[in-house]
Amino acid sequence: MDATIFAPSPTLTVTIEDHESGPDIHVHAGGQGVWQARMLRRLGVDVTMCCVLTGETGLVVRNLLTDEGFRVIAVERAGRGAAYVHDRRDGARAAIAETQGDRLGRHELDELYGATLREGIDSRLVLLSGPDGDGVLPHDTYRRLAADLRGNGARVVVDLAGERMTAALEGGVDLLKVSDEELRADGLLPEDADEDDTGPIIAAMEQLRERGAGDVIVTRGGEPFLVLDGDRVLEVTQPQLQAAETRGAGDSLTGGVCAGLAAGERLRDAIVTGAAAGALNVTRHGLGTGDAETIRRLRDGVRVRVLRGEDVDGDRPAAEDDSRGRVSPDGLASLAQPGEETEEVRGHREEGA
């Protein structure tokens, strides 16, 4: 199982942390697409990352991405790449220096667009992510990519907000993930909406469907997130774990959902994988990290309640798999363990799902 990620401008991240023997300096590739890809890879999905790598930082990012096991399809250019240096020695994150990098030129964008279209058609599952800066590429790129990919048989997932989300919806997407804060910032939720009242969020989700989304996931900080899945509205409660770092939890959730979809799960089950992945990530300092076995076990602690539609029998263990011909949670975990393919997974793969 594989997936393609559109990550236009990965970020070189340098984080300084305290250590008993002196400063501890960590260097990683980062940014939304990288964090999502990292979780997909942890769950056994082969990831192709389409990106632009710029200047000296781009050379470092390429090596870091390759070392993590990603297949990197990159357009290389001179200039300033996206990067940041953060200091966490006192426990809080303080930005020392940050840059979103240079805007993509017409030629780089054309090459990146073509590579994403080619790889996405092959993988059939494409996750469109955004760069850190607003001025890196035209928002309309997301409209064109979404429309062209879906028009050629690929399934498109987006985790975007603002003008990028608006553009992607105009092209049409199969699954949109967004937060309630982002909806509020876009004027789709009232500023004074009661956090316990799901009505305004459900109304916003239905509006997003009218604008071009197939299914919709809306996260709500520490509250259960909501899913518009066909005609049903689901409320998903994640396991409550002690947080070490809340950044990246939403991207881990998105990556987990996409891993489930890549494994052939229906959305009802894929959101459980995503919920477990997002819950685990808050316990870790590394964004988009976690291991498949722990995520599999955390699935048992996820609860899905149907707020509207069929299957209104209240809370039930979400890890229950009542679909035939799909990969179960155990099957998904086995995909992350080379050489331990189960009969179930082998049969699923031979069927070409």
mmCIF file of all heavy atoms in Angstrom, residues 201-222:
data_model
loop_
_atom_site.group_PDB
_atom_site.id
_atom_site.type_symbol
_atom_site.label_atom_id
_atom_site.label_comp_id
_atom_site.label_asym_id
_atom_site.label_seq_id
_atom_site.Cartn_x
_atom_site.Cartn_y
_atom_site.Cartn_z
ATOM 1 N N ILE A 201 -21.277 23.138 14.198
ATOM 2 C CA ILE A 201 -20.200 22.446 13.495
ATOM 3 C C ILE A 201 -20.775 21.523 12.428
ATOM 4 O O ILE A 201 -20.267 21.459 11.302
ATOM 5 C CB ILE A 201 -19.324 21.655 14.483
ATOM 6 C CG1 ILE A 201 -18.628 22.608 15.453
ATOM 7 C CG2 ILE A 201 -18.291 20.818 13.726
ATOM 8 C CD1 ILE A 201 -17.756 21.915 16.476
ATOM 9 N N ILE A 202 -21.843 20.821 12.769
ATOM 10 C CA ILE A 202 -22.476 19.943 11.784
ATOM 11 C C ILE A 202 -22.988 20.753 10.602
ATOM 12 O O ILE A 202 -22.849 20.353 9.438
ATOM 13 C CB ILE A 202 -23.603 19.129 12.439
ATOM 14 C CG1 ILE A 202 -23.020 18.155 13.476
ATOM 15 C CG2 ILE A 202 -24.404 18.366 11.385
ATOM 16 C CD1 ILE A 202 -24.057 17.423 14.298
ATOM 17 N N ALA A 203 -23.571 21.917 10.888
ATOM 18 C CA ALA A 203 -24.044 22.788 9.807
ATOM 19 C C ALA A 203 -22.880 23.236 8.924
ATOM 20 O O ALA A 203 -22.994 23.284 7.691
ATOM 21 C CB ALA A 203 -24.766 24.000 10.395
ATOM 22 N N ALA A 204 -21.729 23.548 9.540
ATOM 23 C CA ALA A 204 -20.555 23.954 8.772
ATOM 24 C C ALA A 204 -20.038 22.797 7.924
ATOM 25 O O ALA A 204 -19.613 22.989 6.776
ATOM 26 C CB ALA A 204 -19.464 24.449 9.712
ATOM 27 N N MET A 205 -20.072 21.585 8.468
ATOM 28 C CA MET A 205 -19.622 20.419 7.717
ATOM 29 C C MET A 205 -20.501 20.186 6.494
ATOM 30 O O MET A 205 -20.008 19.871 5.399
ATOM 31 C CB MET A 205 -19.627 19.187 8.624
ATOM 32 C CG MET A 205 -18.647 19.277 9.785
ATOM 33 S SD MET A 205 -18.912 18.016 11.055
ATOM 34 C CE MET A 205 -18.145 16.595 10.322
ATOM 35 N N GLU A 206 -21.791 20.360 6.657
ATOM 36 C CA GLU A 206 -22.700 20.192 5.530
ATOM 37 C C GLU A 206 -22.464 21.273 4.472
ATOM 38 O O GLU A 206 -22.553 21.017 3.265
ATOM 39 C CB GLU A 206 -24.144 20.226 6.031
ATOM 40 C CG GLU A 206 -24.505 19.000 6.873
ATOM 41 C CD GLU A 206 -25.863 19.107 7.519
ATOM 42 O OE1 GLU A 206 -26.323 20.253 7.726
ATOM 43 O OE2 GLU A 206 -26.466 18.054 7.824
ATOM 44 N N GLN A 207 -22.120 22.466 4.932
ATOM 45 C CA GLN A 207 -21.806 23.534 3.993
ATOM 46 C C GLN A 207 -20.532 23.218 3.215
ATOM 47 O O GLN A 207 -20.445 23.459 2.011
ATOM 48 C CB GLN A 207 -21.638 24.857 4.742
ATOM 49 C CG GLN A 207 -21.359 26.047 3.823
ATOM 50 C CD GLN A 207 -21.221 27.354 4.589
ATOM 51 O OE1 GLN A 207 -21.614 27.450 5.749
ATOM 52 N NE2 GLN A 207 -20.668 28.356 3.941
ATOM 53 N N LEU A 208 -19.551 22.646 3.903
ATOM 54 C CA LEU A 208 -18.309 22.261 3.235
ATOM 55 C C LEU A 208 -18.569 21.175 2.200
ATOM 56 O O LEU A 208 -17.926 21.162 1.138
ATOM 57 C CB LEU A 208 -17.292 21.775 4.270
ATOM 58 C CG LEU A 208 -16.734 22.863 5.200
ATOM 59 C CD1 LEU A 208 -15.956 22.236 6.350
ATOM 60 C CD2 LEU A 208 -15.843 23.838 4.426
ATOM 61 N N ARG A 209 -19.487 20.284 2.491
ATOM 62 C CA ARG A 209 -19.828 19.256 1.496
ATOM 63 C C ARG A 209 -20.466 19.897 0.271
ATOM 64 O O ARG A 209 -20.160 19.523 -0.875
ATOM 65 C CB ARG A 209 -20.770 18.223 2.107
ATOM 66 C CG ARG A 209 -21.326 17.233 1.089
ATOM 67 C CD ARG A 209 -22.012 16.073 1.744
ATOM 68 N NE ARG A 209 -21.040 15.131 2.318
ATOM 69 C CZ ARG A 209 -21.376 14.095 3.079
ATOM 70 N NH1 ARG A 209 -22.645 13.894 3.393
ATOM 71 N NH2 ARG A 209 -20.454 13.282 3.539
ATOM 72 N N GLU A 210 -21.334 20.865 0.493
ATOM 73 C CA GLU A 210 -21.957 21.552 -0.634
ATOM 74 C C GLU A 210 -20.924 22.274 -1.494
ATOM 75 O O GLU A 210 -21.104 22.437 -2.702
ATOM 76 C CB GLU A 210 -23.001 22.551 -0.129
ATOM 77 C CG GLU A 210 -24.218 21.903 0.513
ATOM 78 C CD GLU A 210 -25.142 22.920 1.152
ATOM 79 O OE1 GLU A 210 -24.814 24.129 1.094
ATOM 80 O OE2 GLU A 210 -26.197 22.513 1.683
ATOM 81 N N ARG A 211 -19.817 22.670 -0.865
ATOM 82 C CA ARG A 211 -18.771 23.415 -1.579
ATOM 83 C C ARG A 211 -17.745 22.512 -2.263
ATOM 84 O O ARG A 211 -16.859 23.027 -2.948
ATOM 85 C CB ARG A 211 -18.066 24.356 -0.612
ATOM 86 C CG ARG A 211 -18.929 25.509 -0.146
ATOM 87 C CD ARG A 211 -18.285 26.289 0.990
ATOM 88 N NE ARG A 211 -16.930 26.746 0.667
ATOM 89 C CZ ARG A 211 -16.127 27.370 1.536
ATOM 90 N NH1 ARG A 211 -16.548 27.578 2.777
ATOM 91 N NH2 ARG A 211 -14.928 27.750 1.168
ATOM 92 N N GLY A 212 -17.853 21.186 -2.069
ATOM 93 C CA GLY A 212 -16.950 20.308 -2.808
ATOM 94 C C GLY A 212 -16.280 19.195 -2.042
ATOM 95 O O GLY A 212 -15.516 18.418 -2.617
ATOM 96 N N ALA A 213 -16.560 19.075 -0.729
ATOM 97 C CA ALA A 213 -15.965 17.997 0.062
ATOM 98 C C ALA A 213 -16.839 16.753 0.011
ATOM 99 O O ALA A 213 -18.068 16.852 0.045
ATOM 100 C CB ALA A 213 -15.752 18.436 1.507
ATOM 101 N N GLY A 214 -16.213 15.589 -0.047
ATOM 102 C CA GLY A 214 -16.970 14.351 0.051
ATOM 103 C C GLY A 214 -17.326 14.086 1.503
ATOM 104 O O GLY A 214 -18.456 14.274 1.932
ATOM 105 N N ASP A 215 -16.344 13.678 2.305
ATOM 106 C CA ASP A 215 -16.508 13.492 3.742
ATOM 107 C C ASP A 215 -15.662 14.538 4.466
ATOM 108 O O ASP A 215 -14.714 15.089 3.905
ATOM 109 C CB ASP A 215 -16.090 12.079 4.156
ATOM 110 C CG ASP A 215 -16.964 11.019 3.496
ATOM 111 O OD1 ASP A 215 -18.190 11.191 3.470
ATOM 112 O OD2 ASP A 215 -16.399 10.026 2.987
ATOM 113 N N VAL A 216 -16.025 14.810 5.740
ATOM 114 C CA VAL A 216 -15.386 15.905 6.475
ATOM 115 C C VAL A 216 -15.058 15.457 7.894
ATOM 116 O O VAL A 216 -15.888 14.829 8.561
ATOM 117 C CB VAL A 216 -16.286 17.158 6.531
ATOM 118 C CG1 VAL A 216 -15.572 18.303 7.249
ATOM 119 C CG2 VAL A 216 -16.722 17.584 5.133
ATOM 120 N N ILE A 217 -13.849 15.798 8.349
ATOM 121 C CA ILE A 217 -13.447 15.599 9.739
ATOM 122 C C ILE A 217 -13.178 16.972 10.342
ATOM 123 O O ILE A 217 -12.439 17.764 9.763
ATOM 124 C CB ILE A 217 -12.169 14.744 9.844
ATOM 125 C CG1 ILE A 217 -12.408 13.334 9.282
ATOM 126 C CG2 ILE A 217 -11.685 14.661 11.293
ATOM 127 C CD1 ILE A 217 -11.138 12.502 9.193
ATOM 128 N N VAL A 218 -13.768 17.250 11.513
ATOM 129 C CA VAL A 218 -13.509 18.504 12.223
ATOM 130 C C VAL A 218 -12.995 18.172 13.613
ATOM 131 O O VAL A 218 -13.706 17.565 14.421
ATOM 132 C CB VAL A 218 -14.769 19.386 12.324
ATOM 133 C CG1 VAL A 218 -14.464 20.643 13.150
ATOM 134 C CG2 VAL A 218 -15.256 19.782 10.938
ATOM 135 N N THR A 219 -11.752 18.549 13.893
ATOM 136 C CA THR A 219 -11.192 18.352 15.225
ATOM 137 C C THR A 219 -11.567 19.523 16.121
ATOM 138 O O THR A 219 -11.788 20.640 15.649
ATOM 139 C CB THR A 219 -9.664 18.200 15.156
ATOM 140 O OG1 THR A 219 -9.100 19.353 14.521
ATOM 141 C CG2 THR A 219 -9.286 16.959 14.368
ATOM 142 N N ARG A 220 -11.589 19.259 17.445
ATOM 143 C CA ARG A 220 -12.040 20.287 18.395
ATOM 144 C C ARG A 220 -11.128 20.357 19.609
ATOM 145 O O ARG A 220 -11.583 20.329 20.755
ATOM 146 C CB ARG A 220 -13.472 19.994 18.836
ATOM 147 C CG ARG A 220 -14.488 19.912 17.702
ATOM 148 C CD ARG A 220 -15.909 19.882 18.236
ATOM 149 N NE ARG A 220 -16.188 18.666 18.974
ATOM 150 C CZ ARG A 220 -17.153 18.561 19.904
ATOM 151 N NH1 ARG A 220 -17.887 19.620 20.224
ATOM 152 N NH2 ARG A 220 -17.363 17.411 20.515
ATOM 153 N N GLY A 221 -9.827 20.473 19.354
ATOM 154 C CA GLY A 221 -8.887 20.549 20.467
ATOM 155 C C GLY A 221 -8.943 19.270 21.286
ATOM 156 O O GLY A 221 -8.788 18.170 20.771
ATOM 157 N N GLY A 222 -9.173 19.402 22.589
ATOM 158 C CA GLY A 222 -9.239 18.244 23.464
ATOM 159 C C GLY A 222 -10.599 17.570 23.497
ATOM 160 O O GLY A 222 -10.776 16.546 24.166
#
